Amino acid sequence: AMLVLSNGLSLVTGNSDGTLKLWSVVSKESIGMFDNYHTACVRKIIQLSDDLIASCSDDAHIKIWNVNQLELTDGLKGEDTKIYDILLLDEGRLISCGEDCAINVWSIDKKGILNTLTEHEKAVVCLCKLSDGRFVSGGKDKCFKIWDSKSLTCKKSVNAHSDWVNVLYEVKKGILASGGRDNLVKLWDLETFECKRTIEWHCNTIVSIIKEEEDKIISASCDNTINIWNL
């Protein structure tokens, strides 16, 4: 896992051994290691504020860190299950998903679960917040689901891939990209939920999709290739 901080001068990496390190973008050298690190693979790192970041891990913990002091400030612990992804829903709420097939909505201040969403039939692997405030979840049940952030109700379920939905990314307003363990990248219209394009180039699981420019996206795969596509 990797996160470029909002200052643009440093980044945080999370490793398979549970450690987190802070790096200088300028010098490309390690600044230090965070204390009280995870005991298993770090899956995701997100920024909560200028000073705070959060990470999730296969050790079933969500940890909150002070990025300036490299110290653990807080932690969230739910069921004893791998946590694959986390997302800051709004100022006070964080959502997580994992191997237990559930999406948990957390109160950051109260350090507890506010709601548990159980619409997925298998493990939930990835989360994505949309520009209109809704969020999307995808998982091993081969579908992605659209959620209302206020009511926390599922508004739409789409059978997206022939294998796991491994990554979700809104490449532009109204267009969602999904990547699967079926080696495909698909672009979806978020109004009609129709697949507008299928990219069949990779020969292994899609692990990341990001936007490079207004009209380009980048996909990375377990086939050891990174490809740039015109939208």
Side-chain angles (χ1 to χ4, degrees):
M2 184 176 71
L3 170 71
V4 178
L5 298 180
S6 57
N7 61 19
L9 300 176
S10 49
L11 61 87
V12 182
T13 57
N15 305 305
S16 59
D17 62 0
T19 58
L20 289 93
K21 289 184 178 181
L22 183 67
W23 301 80
S24 168
V25 173
V26 178
S27 69
K28 300 178 178 61
E29 294 180 351
S30 175
I31 300 171
M33 182 180 292
F34 290 81
D35 66 359
N36 295 304
Y37 49 81
H38 291 282
T39 59
C41 180
V42 179
R43 293 286 184 171
K44 187 69 173 285
I45 308 167
I46 63 172
Q47 190 155 8
L48 303 179
S49 66
D50 289 342
D51 299 329
L52 298 177
I53 63 171
S55 60
C56 66
S57 166
D58 285 357
D59 66 7
H61 284 84
I62 299 169
K63 296 193 173 188
I64 299 174
W65 316 82
N66 185 301
V67 73
N68 298 314
Q69 300 172 358
L70 301 178
E71 292 180 351
L72 183 68
T73 65
D74 226 328
L76 307 173
K77 179 70 167 66
E79 298 297 327
D80 189 18
T81 185
K82 294 178 180 179
I83 300 176
Y84 291 135
D85 204 354
I86 50 176
L87 180 69
L88 185 63
L89 194 56
D90 51 40
E91 187 175 344
R93 295 184 300 169
L94 180 147
I95 57 177
S96 66
C97 65
E99 189 64 32
D100 61 354
C101 312
I103 299 169
N104 285 321
V105 183
W106 300 81
S107 167
I108 298 175
D109 293 334
K110 295 180 180 178
K111 306 177 185 62
I113 296 174
L114 299 172
N115 299 89
T116 297
L117 314 177
T118 57
E119 295 287 336
H120 281 278
E121 297 179 357
K122 295 184 178 181
V124 189
V125 177
C126 53
L127 299 166
C128 173
K129 189 174 182 179
L130 300 177
S131 55
D132 61 10
R134 296 179 297 172
F135 68 92
V136 193
S137 60
K140 295 183 181 181
D141 55 7
K142 309 174 186 178
C143 72
F144 68 76
K145 297 179 184 291
I146 308 287
W147 301 85
D148 183 278
S149 297
K150 294 182 179 179
S151 66
L152 299 175
T153 54
C154 181
K155 295 300 184 180
K156 183 71 176 181
S157 182
V158 177
N159 293 320
H161 289 264
S162 60
D163 209 327
W164 301 358
V165 178
N166 210 45
V167 58
L168 296 164
Y169 188 86
E170 187 180 24
V171 295
K172 62 191 301 184
K173 188 173 182 179
I175 301 295
L176 179 74
S178 65
R181 209 170 70 156
D182 58 3
N183 314 337
L184 301 177
V185 175
K186 294 186 176 185
L187 301 181
W188 303 86
D189 186 309
L190 287 172
E191 289 188 4
T192 64
F193 299 103
E194 294 179 354
C195 180
K196 309 300 289 184
R197 183 182 175 190
T198 299
I199 298 172
E200 302 180 63
W201 182 265
H202 289 288
C203 56
N204 210 327
T205 302
I206 311 300
V207 294
S208 182
I209 301 170
I210 61 172
K211 186 176 181 179
E212 183 195 22
E213 298 172 356
E214 184 62 29
D215 60 346
K216 289 183 173 63
I217 60 171
I218 301 173
S219 60
S221 166
C222 289
D223 62 11
N224 300 322
T225 66
I226 297 172
N227 291 319
I228 302 174
W229 311 93
N230 290 317
L231 283 176

